[in-house]
Amino acid sequence: MVSRRLAAARERHVEQLAQQRENERNVDSALEVYFLADEKIAEAEQECERRTAPHELAIARLHERRDVVVEQHRAEQGRAALAAAEADRTVEQIATLFGVDEKTARRLIAAGRDERKSTVEASEPPVLTDLAPDPADPAVAATLA
């Protein structure tokens, strides 16, 4: 009786060891699948980045150009609002004429004033306060060497 129980226990132990080996093979297989998939994900992301980078750069350039154009036209709107204000139109009248609220009309007029001020300042010659050469200037550095 003892020998049969011992044999049955040994057989269960052998089955458990076989099951453990099968489980370890399954884990090894799962690890391989996981890391191969991880590598493929990284490759797909790199390929996507490589292919989209030029387009993202082009889009950024388009946005920059758009911003320049919008800024120019906003300055024109500001000058137009200022011209209307200087033609004795009230903020309320300007807002009605332009189809905006009074707060926006005030901002447009202020932008027109700022635009005029920056245009006047840009047209004035710079004031030379320091006539000493700048050693950081490459042309000056070449003559000093």
Side-chain angles (χ1 to χ4, degrees), residues 30-49:
L31 286 170
E32 184 177 341
V33 168
Y34 177 86
F35 286 106
L36 284 173
D38 193 50
E39 186 177 315
K40 295 296 182 186
I41 289 169
E43 288 173 3
E45 289 173 345
Q46 289 172 353
E47 176 67 9
C48 181
E49 179 65 28

Side-chain angles (χ1 to χ4, degrees), residues 61-139:
R61 287 182 184 143
L62 285 172
H63 285 181
E64 289 172 2
R65 282 188 242 147
R66 176 213 51 207
D67 292 346
V68 168
V69 169
V70 167
E71 184 179 324
Q72 291 170 345
H73 291 295
R74 293 219 192 273
E76 289 174 4
Q77 287 179 325
R79 288 191 299 270
L82 181 59
E86 289 174 345
D88 293 330
R89 294 294 185 259
T90 65
V91 171
E92 182 180 343
Q93 289 171 329
I94 293 170
T96 301
L97 287 170
F98 292 169
V100 297
D101 59 31
E102 289 184 29
K103 185 176 181 180
T104 302
R106 281 189 191 87
R107 269 193 252 138
L108 286 168
I109 294 167
R113 286 187 183 117
D114 290 345
E115 172 68 20
R116 178 185 288 162
K117 182 180 176 185
S118 66
T119 302
V120 168
E121 288 174 356
S123 66
E124 292 176 359
V127 177
L128 299 176
T129 56
D130 184 10
L131 298 178
D134 181 8
D137 183 353

Side-chain angles (χ1 to χ4, degrees), residues 44-57:
E45 289 173 345
Q46 289 172 353
E47 176 67 9
C48 181
E49 179 65 28
R50 183 188 68 77
R51 295 182 73 185
T52 60
H55 301 289
E56 290 171 355
L57 182 60

